[in-house]
Amino acid sequence: MSTVAFYTLGCKVNAYETEAIWHMFEKAGYTRVDFESDADVYVINTCTVTHTGDKKSRQIIRRAIRQNPDAVVAVTGCYAQTSPAEILNIPGVDIVVGTQGRDRLLAYVEEVKRTREPINAVTNIMKTRTYEPLSIDKYTERTRAFLKIQEGCNNFCTFCMIPWAKGLSRSRRPEDVLAEARRLAQNGYKEIVLTGIHTGGYGEDLEGYALADLLRDLSRVEGLARIRISSIEASQITDAVLEAFAATDKLCRHFHVPLQAGSDPVLKRMRRKYTTSEYARNIERVRQIFPDAAITTDLIVGFPGETEEMFLDGYRFVEAIGFSELHVFPYSRRAGTPAARYTDQVDEDVKRGRVLQMLGLNEQLKRRYRKRFLGSVLTVIPEARATEERPGTTVENGKAEAGEGSVLLSGLSDNYLRVRLTGKNEWIGELVDVRLDELTEEGFSGTPLGVHDGFVLVDAKQGAL
Ligand code: SF4
C-alpha cells in the first residue's frame, strides 16, 4: 500500500485543490499520512502571493526531501507555475506541475517511479481557456466545505502576481458545481464556501449564466443550509447579484469585499476597478438587504506613493464603512509586478507605523460589530473541539452544567462570528442554536439552546421545539 503526504500553503483555492488531488490518490489505493512522517510520495501545493510564499515553499520542499530521500516529490501550485526552473534546481524534486494539469499527477508519479527522471509539466497558463477538471465530495478535516467554482483573474492589479500564476478567468461548468454541491450535502456538509481566485467573476466567460444564476440554483440543493461567498470584488456587486442575494435564503450574511486602499489616488495606481464612493455605495446596497451583515476586507498599507494624507483619508474611509474585521497587510514588493518598479516606495518604518494604526482600528471595529450581537441567539456550525476541554460538563435544559461526555466546541455563525460552546462531539458539523452570553478574545462564548435536526430545532433534552 503506497502512502502519500500533502502540504498546502496559501489560500482556500489551494486547500480545495489539495483535497481534490488527494481524492485521485485515494481512488488509486494510496493511504494518506502526515507530512511529518515517511511517505512514498510528497505533494507540496505552493503559494507565490509574496516572496515569503516562495521562500516558505522551498523550505517545505526541502523538508520532504530530507524526510524520505527515496520518495517521489511533486511540487504544484502558484510558485511552481511561475518558477519551475528554480524548483527543479532543488536536488530531489521529481515533478513540477503548475496550476493546470494536476489531473495527470498520478500518471507522472508512476512514470517517475519507473524512470527516476524529473518531469517539468508546467504549461503556459496564459494560454489556458479551460477550467481544470478537479473535483471533491468530502474533506479530510473540514466541516465547512470549500467549493471551487472559478479560476484565474483578468484584472492585473499592479501589486498582484496571481493572474500570472493562475491565468485568465475561467468558470467551472454550472452542472459540475451543482453536482458537487449535492454530493457535499449528501455527505453531511451543511455549509459550502464558494471559492475561486475571482469568485465574483463567475460566469463572465459563460453564455447567459452568472453568479446570480448559480446562487439561485445552489439554494435549491437539498440538505444545504448555508452558502458563503469567500470573496467578491466591489465592482462585481451588480443589480443582478444583489437581486440574487435577496432571493437566496441560505446566503450567509458575510461579505468579504477587498478594498485594498481607502484613497482614490492609491486605488488608481493599484489599477482597482472602483472608486471609494462606488465601493461605499455597493456596501450600502448590500446592507439594505442584510442590515446585520459582516463586511470584512483586505487592506494594503504603504503602497508606493501613499502619502500620510492618503493614508489618513483611507483610515477615515475604513472607519466610516464600519467593517466587522480588517485583514491588514503591509505592501510587499513583488518582482514581476508593475508596482514593484514604482520609484516612490514607502519607507519600511513608515509602513510599519501605518499597519499598527490600522490594526488598532481593526480591534475597535471588531468590538463594535460584535457588541451588537451580545445576548442574541445565532445558529453556529461547530467545526471542531476547542483547545481546552472541561471534563464533566453536560447540557441540562439548554444550560451547560458540569458532567461526563461533554466537550468544548468552536464554530462560526453565518455572519462570521466565532463562538465557543459546551456540547457533544456529535454536534460537530451540525446546526446548533446558541445564545451569545459573553464576549471573548476571539468572539463569543455561549449557551447551546438546541440542535437543528433536518432543520427542525431539537432541544438537547426535550426534543423538537
Ligand atoms: S483582482 Fe487583483 S488582487 Fe485579486 S487576484 Fe485579481 S489581480 Fe490579484
Side-chain angles (χ1 to χ4, degrees):
M1 171 87 68
S2 298
T3 57
V4 59
F6 295 89
Y7 195 101
T8 305
L9 295 109
C11 62
K12 293 186 180 75
V13 172
N14 264 18
Y16 175 95
E17 292 165 355
T18 297
E19 201 63 28
I21 295 169
W22 157 235
H23 274 45
M24 295 187 314
F25 278 84
E26 187 179 27
K27 287 192 187 109
Y30 279 76
T31 300
R32 186 172 184 166
V33 295
D34 274 354
F35 191 79
E36 308 317 325
S37 56
D38 272 15
D40 302 312
V41 179
Y42 292 96
V43 178
I44 296 115
N45 197 353
T46 61
C47 170
T48 196
V49 81
T50 64
H51 286 304
T52 320
D54 293 4
K55 188 163 162 247
K56 183 85 192 291
S57 300
R58 288 193 295 273
Q59 286 168 349
I60 301 298
I61 294 166
R62 290 200 174 91
R63 200 195 297 172
I65 295 164
R66 273 199 309 278
Q67 182 75 41
N68 179 3
D70 301 327
V72 174
V73 175
V75 183
T76 185
C78 295
Y79 176 47
Q81 179 64 47
T82 55
S83 316
E86 223 168 87
I87 294 171
L88 274 169
N89 278 343
I90 301 174
V93 169
D94 299 292
I95 301 167
V96 183
V97 54
T99 53
Q100 189 81 6
R102 276 74 68 93
D103 48 315
R104 290 187 290 283
L105 191 54
L106 260 174
Y108 296 145
V109 168
E110 295 315 313
E111 187 182 331
V112 164
K113 282 183 181 172
R114 273 197 319 279
T115 65
R116 291 312 312 197
E117 287 298 318
I119 295 176
N120 178 354
V122 176
T123 56
N124 179 349
I125 196 73
M126 302 316 285
K127 287 207 175 115
T128 304
R129 294 291 175 273
T130 52
Y131 182 91
E132 184 183 30
L134 292 179
S135 68
I136 61 162
D137 47 28
K138 62 182 179 357
Y139 269 89
T140 309
E141 278 154 11
R142 279 183 188 287
T143 50
R144 296 180 312 124
F146 297 155
L147 202 172
K148 186 178 172 186
I149 64 171
Q150 182 274 349
E151 179 63 288
C153 180
N154 301 348
N155 278 15
F156 295 93
C157 301
T158 56
F159 54 83
C160 184
M161 245 339 243
I162 297 173
W164 308 105
K166 290 285 195 176
L168 300 179
S169 184
R170 304 158 335 259
S171 302
R172 192 174 181 189
R173 293 180 330 143
E175 54 270 35
D176 295 342
V177 175
L178 293 166
E180 189 156 290
R182 288 189 202 100
R183 288 196 304 272
L184 289 166
Q186 276 148 20
N187 286 330
Y189 290 89
K190 300 285 186 294
E191 176 179 320
I192 55 170
V193 183
L194 302 183
T195 300
I197 296 300
H198 210 49
T199 318
Y202 181 80
E204 284 170 1
D205 55 328
L206 300 177
E207 285 301 317
Y209 194 92
L211 181 65
D213 307 293
L214 184 68
L215 289 174
R216 284 201 182 86
D217 289 344
L218 282 169
S219 66
R220 296 190 197 102
V221 171
E222 254 202 57
L224 217 48
R226 301 206 307 211
I227 301 168
R228 194 181 300 273
I229 301 175
S230 63
S231 177
I232 185 167
E233 293 289 317
S235 53
Q236 289 157 344
I237 301 177
T238 60
D239 293 354
V241 164
L242 287 164
E243 275 165 38
F245 282 3
T248 309
D249 57 357
K250 298 177 179 177
L251 197 64
C252 290
R253 300 168 301 162
H254 170 214
F255 302 94
H256 186 73
V257 188
L259 171 66
Q260 304 299 10
S263 145
D264 286 337
V266 178
L267 286 175
K268 200 152 190 289
R269 293 192 84 201
M270 287 178 164
R271 212 188 281 151
R272 298 294 285 168
K273 304 279 182 275
Y274 49 82
T275 62
T276 51
S277 57
E278 287 161 349
Y279 186 97
R281 199 169 74 79
N282 281 345
I283 297 300
E284 189 41 44
R285 296 169 77 198
V286 170
R287 284 185 168 140
Q288 278 158 11
I289 303 167
F290 301 102
D292 289 333
I295 310 286
T296 58
T297 198
D298 297 332
L299 276 175
I300 293 176
V301 168
F303 187 75
E306 183 190 71
T307 62
E308 186 62 16
E309 193 195 344
M310 291 171 189
F311 170 72
L312 293 175
D313 283 349
Y315 186 101
R316 285 187 289 269
F317 180 79
V318 167
E319 197 168 26
I321 293 284
F323 291 100
S324 58
E325 191 161 351
L326 313 174
H327 302 160
V328 182
F329 307 93
Y331 168 68
S332 168
R333 201 172 183 173
R334 191 72 186 79
T337 62
R341 295 188 292 276
Y342 292 172
T343 53
D344 46 359
Q345 300 287 327
V346 173
D347 174 77
E348 289 303 319
D349 290 342
V350 173
K351 227 187 266 181
R352 257 190 297 280
R354 290 177 185 170
V355 166
L356 287 177
Q357 287 181 64
M358 269 306 179
L359 290 176
L361 177 58
N362 181 36
E363 290 310 312
Q364 290 172 35
L365 292 175
K366 278 199 299 188
R367 236 190 336 272
R368 197 184 299 169
Y369 180 74
R370 290 174 184 174
K371 265 201 185 138
R372 290 163 53 178
F373 298 91
L374 193 57
S376 65
V377 175
L378 290 176
T379 302
V380 170
I381 299 184
E383 289 162 14
R385 291 164 75 151
T387 41
E388 94 262 9
E389 255 182 47
R390 277 194 224 135
T393 309
T394 57
V395 179
E396 293 296 330
N397 305 325
K399 267 204 86 23
E401 309 278 340
E404 266 335 294
S406 293
V407 290
L408 195 59
L409 301 170
S410 170
L412 285 173
S413 65
D414 75 304
N415 59 334
Y416 216 54
L417 296 173
R418 169 82 37 206
V419 180
R420 280 179 174 230
L421 60 147
T422 298
K424 302 188 181 312
N425 253 331
E426 58 270 27
W427 292 2
I428 290 178
E430 297 302 329
L431 300 161
V432 183
D433 280 5
V434 183
R435 188 187 55 235
L436 307 186
D437 299 329
E438 207 184 313
L439 281 165
T440 65
E441 184 60 32
E442 60 174 10
F444 288 91
S445 73
T447 302
L449 301 180
V451 181
H452 292 229
D453 177 10
F455 308 118
V456 175
L457 190 59
V458 176
D459 175 284
K461 298 296 271 168
Q462 317 298 338
L465 287 177

